[in-house]
Amino acid sequence: MRLIPVDTTGALVMVAQEPRPKLKDRRTGEMAMDTETGAPLMTVDVTFVANGQAEILSLTVPQPGIPEGLVPGTLVALTKLIARPWENEFNGQKRSGIAFRADAVTATMPAFAGAKG
């Protein structure tokens, strides 16, 4: 599967939602784990602003790559952000999209005053 590196140079990235466990199976609550390291995976939503456009991206990040106290409004840097196109079929309906993954999220500036988690 093709992995596409994402250049974050010049982008403004801010936490939009606190990190939460990534689930492998929503019915059972089983957490997703990194296949290489065995670390639990987390999902963190960020606002990604570049080239005059803003988007909310949901990132998958291994738990060790997320610092304590990461709250909405925190400006962050993303280590080794990649995009991976995906496609699946469920109940006869095709779906596709782009999944984003980073090795780590690092706070570069505390949350803006008045930001709430």
Side-chain angles (χ1 to χ4, degrees), residues 8-96:
T8 59
T9 306
L12 175 70
V13 184
M14 182 175 58
V15 174
Q17 186 172 330
E18 289 184 27
R20 60 200 180 279
K22 182 175 180 78
L23 299 179
K24 181 177 181 177
D25 186 330
R26 292 177 194 209
R27 293 173 301 193
T28 65
E30 180 184 1
M31 281 191 65
M33 306 299 272
D34 186 290
T35 56
E36 292 180 16
T37 66
L41 295 174
M42 303 292 285
T43 299
V44 61
D45 293 340
V46 298
T47 302
F48 189 92
V49 182
N51 303 319
Q53 295 186 7
E55 292 189 50
I56 301 290
L57 303 181
S58 287
L59 309 175
T60 298
V61 182
Q63 191 173 35
I66 298 180
E68 291 289 324
L70 206 56
V71 296
T74 305
L75 291 177
V76 295
L78 306 174
T79 303
K80 294 186 180 178
L81 178 63
I82 56 123
R84 178 184 319 179
W86 61 268
E87 182 177 277
N88 65 25
E89 188 172 333
F90 184 72
N91 288 336
Q93 293 197 352
K94 286 189 177 185
R95 297 178 54 201
S96 62

